[in-house]
Amino acid sequence: MWKADRRSGKSVRNPFSNSKLALLRSNPSCLRPILEIVMSEEATGNEYRQQRIENMNQLAATGFPAFGKAFERTARLDELHAGFEEGRQVKACGRIVAIRKMGKMAFTHISDGSAKFQLMVKKDLLGEEKFAAFKLLDLGDIIGVEGELFITKTEENTVRVAEWTLLSKALLPLPEKFHGLTDVETRYRQRALDLISNPEVMEVFKKRTEVMREIRNFLDGRGYCEVETPMLQQIAGGAAAKPFKAHYNALNVDVFMRIAPELYLKRLIVGGMDRVYEMNRNFRNEGLDRTHNPEFTCLEIYQAYGDMRTMQELIQSMFTHLAETIFGKIEFEWMGNTINLQTPWREVPYHDLIRENLGDGWFEKGLDEAKAKAEELEVHIEEGMDFKQVTHEIYDKTIEGSLIQPTFITRLPKELVPLANHCDDDPELVDVFELIIGGKEIAPAYSELNNPIEQRKRFEEQADGNGSKMDEDFLSALEYGMPPTGGMGIGIDRLLMLLTGSDAIRDVILFPQLKPRG
RNA sequence: GGGCCGGUAGCUCAGUCGGUAGAGCAUUUGACUUUUAAUCAAAGGGUCCAGGGUUCGAGCCCCUGCCGGCUCACCA
């Protein structure tokens, strides 16, 4: 009777194979759960899930309940490999990621996210019942085992299993073992599956954790103090970007997810916190592509009595430190280029870079000549752009992307960077750098503007008559006096793309933003 | 937003000229005590992204939509 699936009318397999019948004979009470499932109208799902539920019930009936309790292991699997010692009795656990069953023995690989480890299960060691039950395990199940370490003929570290227990039953099948999960959409939507079946993905995210920890170590070691400033802001300042909007009921005010922590960190500098940094999420209500996610992680650092040069030294030391301590190398492959982080990095003033690429006489040219050159380079120029804007457009579209090795662009025109101090020798230029690596902007740094009158003026220009956007609290903080300050912002996700050789920001963010599935 | 490409079994992918829906892995059954993409034999498994249209007949051709990838543009 259980052969008939009422829903489809199709036949289903007889769940009672010979080996299973052997189990049933020894414990007839296990018939009940099997029948409940097989006969149940609720028994839905695909063939695999159905099969695994049957296996689960048979395991439960023979003394292996499907969802166990905490398991005290001797060590994690990577530690087990590291401290391998033949003959040692150990307890180990993990998810079954490969299984090779034979008549009276089986080999299995378990993985706990740190490493894989081979298990050998033999009938004569376990006894008939426990061995038969072991053969009911499915790929993906999580088990704990106890046994002796030894090395196989093929010289692989292995546990000879004397006891085992089921810790968690996997009801859904894992992706194919050889190709893993490659469907990009499924990988992002079901990151857990991605992590289980693609070890290199796990590796990237472990590196992410290490990098963030090491950044903190590095900065803490230099006396920088990590702080947390508001994510919910009533005025979204510190950058020019569209914010996400929310409403705070208790105060009946609209609030914004922050687009940058800058204005709060500067308040702390005013308050006397000498060296501060914040490494956390920013939110920008903008497009989504290979290098942009609406929430992204940014490291902002401010140092009182410093300037752009302070930041220049800091970022070179920090990046090479990360490269050497975490990755053990100084060269990285990224987006088809080899990038060498060996310091000192090249520094070139903006105007020199332009002349280098567009000719010595570039800044003597007129607007029409510049536009003609833009056209020649297939750079689109908007109506009404002036000479500086045309120049910058050409820079943006053709020069920046060609700077593969780390390059500091300095002495930018003040129009491009409204929140920085001007250069001592030229009020038209600002004392900043933009760090370009692999043709991508990685970090800007400023000698911060600390003149409150000038700051107010620039805010007013930026707000364009919309007074409600002015952060008056910040301006009055500045009026109490902010020391000369060096500041820098580093896009952590992009840094991680570089260090891990990832081409897409989604590959370094665990749960990237996706459209809802229709 | 524009252009191009894609969505077929749990996974990875084929699918010819429009004519019975295919393979490998996985699953099930049988064999198997040193395997490791185990092996050997057999079997089962499909909302061909969705909805329309053309046609005697559509996975395939046409239209619309959804989701994704690449790319260009925009925004910063």
Side-chain angles (χ1 to χ4, degrees), chain A residues 284-331:
Chain A
R284 296 188 181 178
N285 204 341
E286 285 163 10
L288 192 58
D289 65 27
R290 205 160 43 124
T291 54
H292 295 85
N293 195 61
E295 51 181 306
F296 59 99
T297 301
C298 200
L299 168 62
E300 284 203 14
I301 307 172
Y302 292 87
Q303 178 166 345
Y305 309 106
D307 64 4
M308 172 274 265
R309 294 284 165 208
T310 318
M311 295 297 124
Q312 202 172 21
E313 188 282 324
L314 183 67
I315 194 169
Q316 292 187 76
S317 302
M318 186 165 81
F319 278 23
T320 50
H321 173 78
L322 294 173
E324 281 161 3
T325 57
I326 298 175
F327 297 88
K329 60 181 182 180
I330 200 76
E331 281 196 345

Side-chain angles (χ1 to χ4, degrees), chain A residues 406-424:
Chain A
T407 305
F408 294 109
I409 318 281
T410 58
R411 299 171 68 85
L412 269 64
K414 69 174 184 190
E415 292 79 5
L416 299 177
V417 190
L419 301 179
N421 243 337
H422 58 76
C423 295
D424 288 339

Side-chain angles (χ1 to χ4, degrees), chain A residues 139-205:
Chain A
L139 225 45
D141 291 352
I142 296 170
I143 61 171
V145 300
E146 191 171 352
E148 183 190 20
L149 294 181
F150 78 109
I151 298 179
T152 60
K153 274 182 189 172
T154 49
E155 298 188 334
E156 178 162 354
N157 295 349
T158 303
V159 179
R160 184 183 287 117
V161 175
E163 286 293 339
W164 69 274
T165 179
L166 181 55
L167 298 176
S168 187
K169 185 83 187 113
L171 295 184
L172 291 173
L174 258 31
E176 195 222 4
K177 61 189 170 189
F178 189 58
H179 296 92
L181 181 66
T182 64
D183 180 78
V184 180
E185 188 179 351
T186 312
R187 283 189 42 225
Y188 297 140
R189 288 193 195 277
Q190 299 201 51
R191 186 66 94 179
L193 257 192
D194 191 23
L195 289 167
I196 291 168
S197 53
N198 296 322
E200 67 280 7
V201 172
M202 176 71 87
E203 198 49 38
V204 165
F205 288 107

Side-chain angles (χ1 to χ4, degrees), chain A residues 150-388:
Chain A
F150 78 109
I151 298 179
T152 60
K153 274 182 189 172
T154 49
E155 298 188 334
E156 178 162 354
N157 295 349
T158 303
V159 179
R160 184 183 287 117
V161 175
E163 286 293 339
W164 69 274
T165 179
L166 181 55
L167 298 176
S168 187
K169 185 83 187 113
L171 295 184
L172 291 173
L174 258 31
E176 195 222 4
K177 61 189 170 189
F178 189 58
H179 296 92
L181 181 66
T182 64
D183 180 78
V184 180
E185 188 179 351
T186 312
R187 283 189 42 225
Y188 297 140
R189 288 193 195 277
Q190 299 201 51
R191 186 66 94 179
L193 257 192
D194 191 23
L195 289 167
I196 291 168
S197 53
N198 296 322
E200 67 280 7
V201 172
M202 176 71 87
E203 198 49 38
V204 165
F205 288 107
K206 282 184 184 168
K207 290 295 184 201
R208 181 175 180 122
T209 299
E210 280 182 59
V211 166
M212 296 192 55
R213 184 169 51 222
E214 199 52 38
I215 287 172
R216 291 191 164 101
N217 281 344
F218 179 86
L219 291 172
D220 294 348
R222 287 187 170 217
Y224 293 85
C225 174
E226 182 171 12
V227 296
E228 291 174 279
T229 65
M231 300 257 175
L232 290 179
Q233 304 181 345
Q234 292 182 23
I235 296 168
K242 291 185 202 109
F244 286 94
K245 193 173 163 181
H247 187 78
Y248 183 30
N249 294 339
L251 297 185
N252 192 25
V253 289
D254 285 338
V255 292
F256 300 93
M257 309 291 285
R258 75 174 183 199
I259 55 176
E262 174 159 350
L263 303 186
Y264 286 92
L265 293 171
K266 283 180 174 169
R267 284 167 165 87
L268 299 178
I269 295 290
V270 170
M273 287 195 178
D274 209 45
R275 301 176 176 203
V276 295
Y277 72 94
E278 179 161 10
M279 184 157 60
N280 217 317
R281 226 69 65 80
N282 289 345
F283 306 85
R284 296 188 181 178
N285 204 341
E286 285 163 10
L288 192 58
D289 65 27
R290 205 160 43 124
T291 54
H292 295 85
N293 195 61
E295 51 181 306
F296 59 99
T297 301
C298 200
L299 168 62
E300 284 203 14
I301 307 172
Y302 292 87
Q303 178 166 345
Y305 309 106
D307 64 4
M308 172 274 265
R309 294 284 165 208
T310 318
M311 295 297 124
Q312 202 172 21
E313 188 282 324
L314 183 67
I315 194 169
Q316 292 187 76
S317 302
M318 186 165 81
F319 278 23
T320 50
H321 173 78
L322 294 173
E324 281 161 3
T325 57
I326 298 175
F327 297 88
K329 60 181 182 180
I330 200 76
E331 281 196 345
F332 294 84
E333 296 295 326
W334 190 33
M335 302 218 186
N337 294 304
T338 302
I339 287 153
N340 190 331
L341 294 183
Q342 193 63 54
T343 54
W345 297 338
R346 182 187 177 209
E347 175 183 331
V348 56
Y350 181 77
H351 282 73
D352 292 1
L353 185 65
I354 300 292
R355 276 192 281 265
E356 197 177 284
N357 284 271
L358 300 177
D360 279 344
W362 178 260
F363 289 98
E364 284 75 55
K365 287 190 196 297
L367 180 57
D368 290 342
E369 281 178 286
K371 282 184 171 173
K373 181 70 179 174
E375 197 166 327
E376 184 191 320
L377 294 168
E378 292 176 358
V379 173
H380 177 71
I381 297 301
E382 294 282 327
E383 205 59 35
M385 278 187 170
D386 63 19
F387 180 81
K388 281 180 178 173

